[in-house]
Amino acid sequence: MECQHVSYQYPRQTRGLNDLTGVFPPGQVTTIIGPNGAGKSTLLQLLARRLPAQAGQVVLNEQPLDQLTTKQLAQQVAMVTQHHQLYDELTVREVVATGRLPYHGLLQAVPANEVTPYLEMAGLTSLADELIQDLSGGQQQRAWLAAALAQEPAVLLLDEPTTYLDVHYQQQLMTQLRQLAAKGLTVIQVLHDINQAFRVSDWLWLLQDGQLVASGTPDDLRDAELLGRTFATSVEIVTVPHLGPYIVQVPD
Amino acid sequence: MTKHAGWWYGGVLALLVLTSLIALVAGTEWLGLSQVTWAVSHPASRAFVTIFSLRLPRILSSLICGGSLAVAGALFQAVFRNPIADPSILGISSAADFFKLGGAILLPWLPGRNWLMALVGGLIALTILTSGRALTDPYRLIIVGVALDATFVGLQQLLSSGAAAVSHSTFNGLTWSDTATLLGLGVLGLVVALILAPWANYLKLTDSALKNVGVPVNVLRWTLLLLGMYLAVSVTAVVGTVPFVGIVVPNVARRLVGHDYQTVLPFSMLAGAWLMLAADTLGRTVIVPSEISAATMMAVIGGPFVIILLQRGRGFHGMSTR
């Protein structure tokens, strides 16, 4: 997936994205980082085509995203958001089954055998017939991720997937994302925890005020001066035993 | 589907048969079952006329109207993501009623006038209802709907003042031709509704989640909304406005048979049919030889139900964010 001179301006706001060009390497985990209001979530919305690029284009496998039908898009790009609001009760099985909708007509039922593998993969088989509302935050997250994976996408987008998870589940999710990427899935996520981003990513996008400040491997971007300037604070990189380099903010 | 759904289906079917039999024998003149069977072979008898020209069309009409209204309510609740949305409370039915009356005054020559005018009224009310922000805000929806309803009721009173008391919302005096219209329109709409039931389930997801999986949200929303409107105005065209069936029945159905619309819709259809028949039969037997209209019966039962639902329920679906 790739951005070619992508711009987007919110109506009546100064916020937006300005002429972004860069790649998201296939089969790798890319994390978009940057201060609040830098345009991280907006970029994710554009990659999912929930917002239209006003200039430039998002390209997937050499095909502009806006040339795909909604159904083709849903077979290529899946998204897991922060808020999984449901208006009414659904079971875990029914939620995961929605991920198969891109492969079926609107009046066709989703066959059970297409849903089972994703329930198993997420370790939710025993909870399949529970209402998703009755599950813990971590289990709900797993169910929505299973639904996204059921779309068999080439690109998986995640908007702050660790927000409602405790440390243990965060770790588990990141391990799972790495495994998926190893199998060829392109993972693009927004994370707030900068150290987590550096630890789990193959590739980073650093945004500031709607501009792409830098992109590269974590080693490329682990630069106190660059990070300090982008986040408007003083940054030092220390080495923690058993963990390696760690980015800390130092008081002025 | 809950564990007991099968039992509830059995129960409502048994009630339907039982109530239909009672409705056939009960009334100003009580007939025994033996008299009913006797009348079948004596087409000239008074019992035959009572059963086949008065009671049977009335029973069939109540059944199809109850089923249609309950399903229409369930569809509106799914689309608006709001458990008390219903064509009668949101002004669709009163708009249909008003246009029907207007049609009778202005276009008396128009064939299929009542239904066509009711449909126009329903469409206009639906357009007003969905043109602003009501679609995304459950409170606004109900307030706009109630205002719309009051407006059309007022307009209708304005139009009918001076005219002799217009008889309203009753199954009394329905002919076989009315019944045939109701059956034709109702069965068609109900069959389509049962086929499209999975769409109502999809609308439990947010619009953006649906777009993510390539589902054309607006196609689903408008199809179900127009279908619900069609079912409701078809009843209004022949019978008039009957309130609350569409709120009471689907909400009870969800408690009894679970959250899946593929179960809720057929159950609502059966339970709505039963409720309407029971209300009408009760209405015409308790104070013989006078009678209470089904609409009045439903208002008396349905009003308190909605109050209880809102005071004790877990709030509007659109608002709960657990």
Side-chain angles (χ1 to χ4, degrees):
Chain A
M1 194 173 233
E2 188 179 345
C3 285
Q4 298 175 345
H5 303 288
V6 168
S7 294
Y8 182 84
Q9 199 68 45
Y10 284 101
R12 296 181 301 279
Q13 283 183 33
T14 51
R15 262 164 10 104
L17 296 174
N18 197 357
D19 196 20
L20 294 190
T21 298
V23 294
F24 300 94
Q28 300 203 357
V29 176
T30 301
T31 305
I32 305 166
I33 52 173
N36 287 335
K40 303 184 293 291
S41 294
T42 309
L43 177 56
L44 220 51
Q45 304 272 329
L46 267 104
L47 298 180
R49 214 177 72 182
R50 286 202 194 165
L51 291 176
Q54 287 159 353
Q57 57 186 3
V58 180
V59 175
L60 176 63
N61 296 330
E62 283 158 26
Q63 200 175 17
L65 221 52
D66 47 18
Q67 280 179 11
L68 300 174
T69 65
T70 15
K71 225 162 183 168
Q72 287 169 333
L73 182 70
Q75 294 173 357
Q76 298 277 329
V77 180
M79 183 155 175
V80 180
T81 52
Q82 245 182 96
H83 310 285
H84 306 301
Q85 200 194 8
L86 272 180
Y87 293 106
D88 203 345
E89 297 169 332
L90 280 180
T91 64
V92 173
R93 188 190 302 281
E94 288 164 341
V95 165
V96 177
T98 59
R100 297 303 301 164
L101 290 177
Y103 297 94
H104 297 280
L106 271 179
L107 286 171
Q108 280 178 302
V110 174
N113 64 4
E114 286 186 17
V115 182
T116 325
Y118 298 98
L119 286 169
E120 280 170 12
M121 191 197 291
L124 292 168
T125 311
S126 60
L127 297 170
D129 295 309
E130 300 289 323
L131 294 179
I132 191 162
Q133 285 92 341
D134 294 340
L135 266 52
S136 74
Q139 291 166 332
Q140 289 190 21
Q141 180 82 340
R142 263 151 61 199
W144 287 105
L145 182 61
L149 294 175
Q151 287 175 245
E152 293 175 4
V155 178
L156 177 65
L157 306 171
L158 303 107
D159 193 3
E160 299 189 30
T162 53
T163 306
Y164 296 111
L165 303 183
D166 63 26
V167 191
H168 170 74
Y169 275 125
Q170 289 190 16
Q171 189 68 41
Q172 200 177 49
L173 175 67
M174 289 304 143
T175 310
Q176 195 186 357
L177 292 181
R178 295 226 49 88
Q179 287 166 351
L180 290 164
K183 286 185 204 155
L185 181 71
T186 304
V187 177
I188 304 171
Q189 60 178 347
V190 169
L191 284 184
H192 259 304
D193 182 338
I194 192 167
N195 279 297
Q196 191 172 43
F198 272 82
R199 209 164 48 241
V200 302
S201 312
D202 301 304
W203 197 258
L204 291 166
W205 273 48
L206 182 58
L207 292 189
Q208 183 189 19
D209 295 331
Q211 313 251 7
L212 179 60
V213 178
S215 68
T217 64
D219 286 338
D220 295 339
L221 266 63
R222 198 178 284 110
D223 174 342
E225 196 272 326
L226 171 71
L227 294 173
R229 182 156 37 85
T230 310
F231 285 92
T233 180
S234 300
V235 163
E236 242 175 61
I237 293 165
V238 297
T239 304
V240 179
H242 311 298
L243 190 68
Y246 198 85
I247 301 155
V248 286
Q249 190 229 332
V250 287
D252 295 318
Chain B
M1 197 186 265
T2 62
K3 281 190 302 233
H4 308 295
W7 289 104
W8 289 114
Y9 264 100
V12 77
L13 281 171
L15 274 174
L16 265 176
V17 173
L18 189 70
T19 312
S20 299
L21 283 176
I22 294 172
L24 214 52
V25 298
T28 323
E29 188 182 359
W30 287 72
L31 301 165
L33 273 180
S34 58
Q35 282 168 281
V36 174
T37 39
W38 175 83
V40 175
S41 51
H42 296 80
S45 65
R46 219 165 74 107
F48 183 91
V49 173
T50 307
I51 291 166
F52 287 95
S53 304
L54 297 176
R55 287 184 193 167
L56 205 55
R58 186 165 180 164
I59 291 169
L60 288 172
S61 299
S62 334
L63 291 173
I64 197 77
C65 285
S68 299
L69 291 175
V71 169
L75 291 175
F76 266 54
Q77 285 144 34
V79 174
F80 287 120
R81 291 143 168 174
N82 186 326
I84 63 162
D86 165 76
S88 71
I89 213 174
L90 295 177
I92 307 285
S93 303
S94 53
D97 235 347
F98 167 68
F99 272 77
K100 184 173 104 178
L101 186 63
I105 294 168
L106 297 174
L107 309 162
W109 43 266
L110 187 71
R113 186 194 65 224
N114 280 351
W115 185 73
L116 281 175
M117 291 309 288
L119 199 63
V120 170
L123 268 174
I124 289 175
L126 202 56
T127 309
I128 299 172
L129 201 60
T130 53
S131 60
R133 281 189 289 163
L135 210 53
T136 53
D137 179 345
Y139 287 114
R140 199 184 296 266
L141 174 78
I142 297 301
I143 294 163
V144 171
V146 167
L148 207 58
D149 185 51
T151 309
F152 281 113
V153 168
L155 284 171
Q156 196 187 333
Q157 284 166 353
L158 211 64
L159 207 61
S160 61
S161 63
V166 192
S167 105
H168 263 311
S169 312
T170 170
F171 293 100
N172 192 9
L174 284 190
T175 63
W176 269 112
S177 124
D178 294 327
T179 306
T181 310
L182 279 172
L183 276 174
L185 295 170
V187 169
L188 179 70
L190 289 172
V191 168
V192 176
L194 296 186
I195 293 172
L196 297 184
W199 292 11
N201 285 334
Y202 297 158
L203 287 172
K204 294 175 181 181
L205 274 77
T206 57
D207 285 12
S208 58
L210 286 171
K211 281 178 191 153
N212 259 354
V213 288
V215 171
V217 191
N218 284 322
V219 173
L220 265 61
R221 195 192 332 267
W222 279 101
T223 307
L224 296 187
L225 212 49
L226 289 172
L227 181 60
M229 188 271 291
Y230 160 90
L231 282 168
V233 304
S234 297
V235 172
T236 307
V238 180
V239 181
T241 303
V242 184
F244 295 124
V245 181
I247 304 175
V248 175
V249 175
N251 278 291
V252 172
R254 280 186 202 103
R255 288 274 163 84
L256 301 183
V257 298
H259 63 273
D260 183 350
Y261 276 100
Q262 292 180 83
T263 327
V264 169
L265 285 184
F267 188 84
S268 296
M269 188 179 85
L270 297 173
W274 171 77
L275 179 65
M276 190 62 105
L277 179 64
D280 184 53
T281 307
L282 210 59
R284 71 181 165 85
T285 47
V286 280
I287 50 162
V288 171
S290 180
E291 72 171 63
I292 307 165
S293 83
T296 310
M297 292 292 291
M298 277 317 301
V300 173
I301 304 167
F305 179 91
V306 171
I307 293 169
I308 293 168
L309 184 73
L310 285 186
Q311 301 282 33
R312 294 183 43 199
R314 58 195 166 91
F316 291 150
H317 291 186
M319 289 305 195
S320 69
T321 50
R322 49 176 187 157

